[in-house]
């Protein structure tokens, strides 16, 4: 058989770990601590964002209305040059005061009797405001422009005219805007909370699945390591027999022990490699010519296993990627080994290299029986092997998938009328 089939795995029920803190104790569909932290995070982030938007919009509105108020005040700047009869009447929000040099009110012209009280000013404050020559905030309810009267006659020399406008409407507009934003944000907050809860439940399910996968992986790894250890233990006891009549059997036992040790050593190396790839440890990247790499892999395969012919097809052009040459060679070698292990002797395999849509493509096909439909979806899972339990460790294709992913690529099992067809896409070198 060319493809791989699922090997038996020990049953691993979904139960909490030894400390009893597994996520599954929260029950199906319920969020554990990670889920609640997600809700709190998104709720906090939303509140901060809405608060920032509300503060910014209120500030911009306040600045715009303040600028318009100052423009209205500036219209009355020339009032100091006019006589009392020539001065325009103030509108509803405007207040005009004439103060003497001691900041005492001489005249008052109010557009509306409902205007708030104007704060008291001292002579120093009058001079300071007059020196600024532009509207400023006076108290919490007014913007005012203080103009020093250049010459108002003997009885008016040294007086000031204060042109003020109430900012009550500005405060009300800003408060109304904040209220409207608060009302509008309530449905948004509700949607964020609902979405965050769904996200939290999904994270909890993903963590449950990850924990369950880890338990299954550890159980399967322990099972795979236990088999060679059991064999080694049995043959080691047989090798300890001191009777010369069993010398030939003892030599055979020692040979089996050595073979099982080599098998276990290879299995451990593969497990360590998968762990490093899962942890995202950096690769020894450099420019790699896939054409030359595949030639070397085919040459090694034919030298070691001449009973399984391999044909190499390299498309014209450059086939360079940025990657780890050792891991990429292992990727191709694993695919060729898979074709050799799961097909009868004499079955031809074909290794092709080409370029497609800015990606380098590696394809391995064979004329074997192919992959059964019931295991195609799990062909790259760990400890999934062929019908022959002794055919490899069941990690070869999972290493292919992990190496391809570490290089930003993908590996797929393509539909095929006969045989197996594996296809790898890797980003081309820039």
């Amino acid at each position: 058989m060319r493809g791989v089939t699922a090997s038996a795995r020990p049953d691993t029920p979904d139960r909490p770990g030894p400390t009893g803190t597994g996520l599954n104790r929260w029950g199906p569909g319920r969020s554990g601590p990670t889920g609640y932290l997600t809700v709190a995070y998104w709720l906090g982030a939303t509140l901060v964002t809405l608060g920032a938007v509300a503060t910014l919009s209120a500030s911009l509105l306040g600045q715009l209305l303040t600028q318009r108020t100052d423009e209205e005040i500036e219209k009355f700047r020339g009032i100091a040059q006019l006589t009392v009869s020539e001065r325009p009447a103030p509108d509803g929000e405007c207040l005009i005061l004439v103060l003497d040099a001691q900041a005492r009110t001489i005249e008052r012209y109010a557009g509306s009797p409902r205007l708030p009280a104007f704060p008291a000013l001292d002579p120093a404050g009058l001079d300071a405001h007059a020196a600024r020559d532009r509207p400023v905030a006076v108290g919490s309810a007014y913007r005012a422009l203080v103009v020093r009267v250049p010459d108002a006659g003997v009885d008016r020399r040294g007086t000031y005219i204060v042109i003020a406008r109430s900012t009550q409407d500005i405060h009300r507009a800003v408060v109304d805007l904040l209220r409207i934003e608060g009302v509008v944000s309530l449905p948004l907050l509700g949607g964020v909370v609902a979405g965050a809860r769904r996200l939290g439940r999904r994270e909890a399910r993903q963590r449950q699945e990850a924990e369950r996968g880890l338990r299954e992986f550890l159980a399967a790894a322990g099972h795979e390591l236990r088999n060679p250890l059991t064999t080694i233990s049995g043959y080691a006891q047989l090798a300890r027999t001191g009777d010369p009549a069993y010398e030939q059997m003892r030599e055979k036992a020692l040979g089996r022990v050595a073979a099982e040790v080599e098998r276990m050593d290879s299995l451990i190396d593969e497990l360590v490699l998968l762990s490093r790839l899962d942890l995202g440890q950096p690769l020894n990247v450099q420019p790699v010519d896939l054409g030359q790499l595949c030639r070397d892999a085919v040459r090694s395969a034919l030298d070691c296993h001449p009973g399984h012919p391999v044909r190499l097809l390299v498309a014209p052009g450059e086939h360079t990627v940025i990657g780890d040459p050792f891991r990429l060679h292992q990727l191709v070698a694993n695919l060729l080994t898979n074709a050799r292990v799961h097909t009868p002797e004499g079955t031809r395999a074909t290794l092709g290299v080409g370029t497609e849509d800015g990606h380098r493509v590696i394809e391995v096909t064979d004329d074997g029986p192919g992959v059964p439909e019931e295991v195609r979806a799990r062909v790259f899972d760990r400890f999934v092997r062929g019908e022959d339990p002794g055919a490899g460790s069941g990690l070869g294709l999972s290493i292919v998938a992990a190496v391809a992913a570490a290089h930003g690529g993908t590996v797929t099992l393509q539909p095929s009328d006969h045989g197996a067809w594996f296809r790898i896409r890797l980003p081309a070198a820039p």
Side-chain angles (χ1 to χ4, degrees):
M1 183 195 69
R2 169 61 178 88
V4 292
T5 57
S7 60
R9 290 186 179 180
D11 292 334
T12 53
D14 186 15
R15 58 179 183 276
T19 60
T21 58
L23 277 178
N24 49 352
R25 68 186 178 92
W26 295 87
R30 296 182 60 187
S31 298
T34 302
Y36 288 118
L37 288 176
T38 301
V39 173
Y41 170 79
W42 283 106
L43 182 59
T46 303
L47 288 174
V48 170
T49 303
L50 291 176
V53 171
T55 301
L56 180 61
S57 60
S59 176
L60 291 175
L61 177 62
Q63 291 177 10
L64 177 61
L65 295 179
T66 298
Q67 181 180 356
R68 291 183 177 178
T69 300
D70 291 349
E71 291 173 355
E72 293 295 326
I73 292 174
E74 289 287 350
K75 293 179 181 179
F76 288 87
R77 178 183 285 273
I79 197 173
Q81 309 295 334
L82 303 177
T83 63
V84 174
S85 61
E86 294 173 335
R87 292 172 184 170
D91 58 27
E93 297 297 322
C94 187
L95 173 67
I96 299 177
L97 299 174
V98 180
L99 307 178
D100 62 15
Q102 284 71 43
R104 292 174 298 193
T105 302
I106 300 175
E107 300 174 15
R108 174 186 173 93
Y109 305 92
S112 171
R114 294 188 298 273
L115 288 176
F118 191 81
L121 296 175
D122 55 26
L126 275 176
D127 287 337
H129 290 326
R132 300 183 70 173
D133 197 36
R134 60 182 177 84
V136 295
V138 179
S140 60
Y142 279 98
R143 298 279 298 179
L145 173 66
V146 179
V147 181
R148 184 180 288 109
V149 178
D151 187 3
V154 176
D155 59 338
R156 292 284 195 266
R157 190 175 301 279
T159 59
Y160 299 85
I161 292 183
V162 179
I163 307 161
R165 290 190 69 86
S166 171
T167 56
Q168 292 183 118
D169 289 344
I170 297 177
H171 297 324
R172 282 194 293 266
V174 171
V175 171
D176 290 343
L177 175 63
L178 291 175
R179 288 176 178 171
I180 293 173
E181 289 177 336
V183 172
V184 172
S185 65
L186 290 178
L188 178 60
L189 285 174
V192 169
V193 170
R197 285 179 61 85
R198 286 195 294 270
L199 179 61
R201 287 193 292 267
R202 185 176 67 180
E203 288 182 352
R205 288 194 298 269
Q206 290 175 344
R207 186 172 177 182
Q208 281 183 317
E209 293 173 359
E211 290 181 346
R212 182 166 56 251
L214 177 60
R215 288 195 295 268
E216 292 178 354
F217 176 75
L218 292 176
H223 176 73
E224 294 297 329
L225 290 172
R226 187 182 300 113
N227 287 339
L229 285 175
T230 302
T231 303
I232 290 172
S233 176
Y235 280 102
Q237 292 180 8
L238 182 60
R240 295 176 61 185
T241 304
D243 192 338
Y246 293 94
E247 183 64 27
Q248 184 177 0
M249 185 179 297
R250 185 163 50 250
E251 291 294 331
K252 181 179 179 181
L254 291 174
R256 289 297 303 272
V257 168
E260 292 298 328
V261 168
E262 182 179 355
R263 175 188 170 192
M264 189 164 57
D265 182 67
S266 175
L267 177 61
I268 292 174
D269 286 344
E270 292 176 338
L271 291 174
V272 171
L273 171 59
L274 284 173
S275 299
R276 289 176 176 174
L277 293 173
D278 288 343
L279 292 174
Q281 294 188 359
L283 301 172
N284 180 25
V285 294
Q286 57 185 279
V288 179
D289 182 359
L290 291 182
Q292 186 59 47
L293 183 145
C294 289
R295 292 186 186 93
D296 295 340
V298 169
R299 189 179 302 110
S300 297
L302 292 175
D303 291 343
C304 297
H305 306 283
H308 285 79
V310 180
R311 180 177 57 177
L312 176 63
L313 300 176
V314 180
E318 182 182 0
H319 308 293
T320 304
V321 298
I322 301 299
D324 188 323
F326 180 76
R327 297 305 177 203
L328 291 174
H329 185 278
Q330 188 174 21
L331 177 148
V332 175
N334 280 13
L335 287 176
L336 295 177
T337 299
N338 186 74
R340 173 179 56 82
V341 170
H342 298 292
T343 59
E345 186 171 356
T347 301
R348 178 185 294 275
T350 301
L351 173 61
V353 184
T355 299
E356 176 184 88
D357 299 331
H359 287 75
R360 310 306 186 196
V361 179
I362 301 174
E363 294 186 347
V364 175
T365 61
D366 62 62
D367 299 330
V371 182
E373 188 64 33
E374 61 272 14
V375 297
R376 294 180 66 89
R378 302 182 58 215
V379 72
F380 297 107
D381 288 356
R382 297 172 185 183
F383 296 110
V384 175
R385 57 159 62 93
E387 294 176 351
D388 180 6
S393 63
L395 296 176
L397 291 180
S398 61
I399 290 176
V400 170
V403 171
H407 286 78
T410 59
V411 57
T412 55
L413 175 61
Q414 299 292 315
S416 178
D417 294 336
H418 64 279
W421 177 11
F422 290 94
R423 198 167 196 263
I424 298 171
R425 283 170 57 92
L426 299 173

